[in-house]
Amino acid sequence: MRPRAADTRRAAVLGKPIAHSLSPVLHRTAYQELGLADWSYDRFEVDETTLSRFFEKLGPEWAGLSLTMPLKRAVIPLLDEISETAASVDAVNTVVFTPDGRALGDNTDIPGIVAALREHGIEQVDSAAILGAGATASSALAALARVCTGYVVVYVRSAARAAEMREWGERLDVEVRIADWADAAEALRAPLVIATTPAGTTDTLSAAVPERPATLFDVLYDPWPTALAARWSAYGGAVVSGLDLLVHQAVLQVEQMTGHVPAPLGAMRKAGEHALESR
């Protein structure tokens, strides 16, 4: 257990690689808008082998941590408690240190996806499709458990990934139907498509965008727009970007770490957009 917090507060994002992270821009903007002059937010390159040592060195001034890959599961044994949301996908992207020194883990990616969809008018859909089956896909499936009333088709490249997504579906009480990546163009006709794959993976699908697409949620934000998002938008479809997700999950992190509600969503988004334009 850590000693009580000091007046000056610190927070940071951890991961590897981490130099590209927009989290410092978003959180520092929030601190400035909230008048938290004694708060700082940094980035540290940390992997699974150095995470425990990093935790051991944390002093009472630390308020919280943001975690990206590959730490979202590696951090769990170091925590005193994790939320039901984080436990639902075995992934923590937010750690908050309480005044009595406990380390609490949460996942703001899942409610961040839901909030980003709602901001674009998507409250409920009767079916959806997920492109990809990596770590982000499990959070997307957990978010769809709150938004989608019917089945979710997941397009995958391997039998192992297919099995994993079926297991997540059972755990989250979502009907998961598996389809081969070779048929991914069929996903684009779903009421909601969530693309969770690395940059460039969906570029070839842009030619298959239907004339009247519904909603695409592409979790990428740099480079932006992706070829798929650009074609989707050109055809009049609604597009939710990875920056929307990044900002919404960061808003929740700021609120948890600082206790200030609401966090300044608009200012954080503008800061993120400016940072991306400057790259």
Side-chain angles (χ1 to χ4, degrees), residues 26-85:
L26 302 181
H27 285 252
R28 290 169 186 170
T29 297
Y31 299 164
Q32 183 176 2
E33 292 290 319
L34 295 170
L36 301 177
D38 292 332
W39 283 68
S40 65
Y41 190 99
D42 302 294
R43 62 164 66 91
F44 295 94
E45 186 162 291
V46 177
D47 61 18
E48 301 99 323
T49 63
T50 56
L51 181 60
S52 179
R53 290 199 298 274
F54 186 92
F55 262 69
E56 291 171 358
K57 296 178 180 179
L58 297 179
E61 73 277 13
W62 283 87
L65 298 169
S66 307
L67 300 170
T68 186
M69 299 304 292
L71 305 177
K72 294 184 179 183
R73 290 183 181 171
V75 73
I76 293 176
L78 304 177
L79 305 177
D80 295 294
E81 183 181 340
I82 66 172
S83 68
E84 290 184 8
T85 302

Side-chain angles (χ1 to χ4, degrees), residues 239-263:
V239 176
V240 186
S241 76
L243 182 61
D244 293 321
L245 167 57
L246 188 66
V247 171
H248 276 286
Q249 65 83 27
V251 161
L252 296 171
Q253 289 184 336
V254 169
E255 292 175 351
Q256 290 189 29
M257 293 179 191
T258 69
H260 287 261
V261 179

Side-chain angles (χ1 to χ4, degrees), residues 197-219:
T197 53
T201 306
T202 62
D203 287 358
T204 58
L205 295 177
S206 60
V209 174
E211 291 185 2
R212 296 182 180 180
T215 300
L216 170 68
F217 194 152
D218 196 323
V219 303

Side-chain angles (χ1 to χ4, degrees), residues 38-263:
D38 292 332
W39 283 68
S40 65
Y41 190 99
D42 302 294
R43 62 164 66 91
F44 295 94
E45 186 162 291
V46 177
D47 61 18
E48 301 99 323
T49 63
T50 56
L51 181 60
S52 179
R53 290 199 298 274
F54 186 92
F55 262 69
E56 291 171 358
K57 296 178 180 179
L58 297 179
E61 73 277 13
W62 283 87
L65 298 169
S66 307
L67 300 170
T68 186
M69 299 304 292
L71 305 177
K72 294 184 179 183
R73 290 183 181 171
V75 73
I76 293 176
L78 304 177
L79 305 177
D80 295 294
E81 183 181 340
I82 66 172
S83 68
E84 290 184 8
T85 302
S88 72
V89 290
D90 290 337
V92 167
N93 78 326
T94 307
V95 176
V96 174
F97 299 109
T98 65
D100 62 0
R102 302 178 73 228
L104 309 181
D106 194 13
N107 186 310
T108 63
D109 286 332
I110 295 168
I113 292 172
V114 174
L117 287 170
R118 287 177 175 167
E119 186 178 42
H120 285 75
I122 308 300
E123 296 282 347
Q124 191 175 91
V125 292
D126 56 14
S127 63
I130 297 177
L131 297 172
T136 306
S138 61
S139 291
L141 192 61
L144 288 174
R146 307 181 183 188
V147 175
C148 184
T149 60
Y151 62 86
V152 177
V153 183
V154 183
Y155 291 80
V156 302
R157 293 183 184 276
S158 72
R161 292 292 192 182
E164 289 176 3
M165 292 306 294
R166 286 195 185 95
E167 290 176 6
W168 285 121
E170 292 176 1
R171 185 167 175 173
L172 295 163
D173 196 25
V174 176
E175 181 185 349
V176 170
R177 300 181 182 180
I178 300 298
D180 191 274
W181 183 262
D183 300 319
E186 297 177 3
L188 308 186
R189 300 186 181 278
L192 172 61
V193 181
I194 303 183
T196 68
T197 53
T201 306
T202 62
D203 287 358
T204 58
L205 295 177
S206 60
V209 174
E211 291 185 2
R212 296 182 180 180
T215 300
L216 170 68
F217 194 152
D218 196 323
V219 303
L220 297 173
Y221 61 83
D222 187 19
W224 186 262
T226 63
L228 180 60
R231 178 66 67 90
W232 199 277
S233 181
Y235 278 22
V239 176
V240 186
S241 76
L243 182 61
D244 293 321
L245 167 57
L246 188 66
V247 171
H248 276 286
Q249 65 83 27
V251 161
L252 296 171
Q253 289 184 336
V254 169
E255 292 175 351
Q256 290 189 29
M257 293 179 191
T258 69
H260 287 261
V261 179

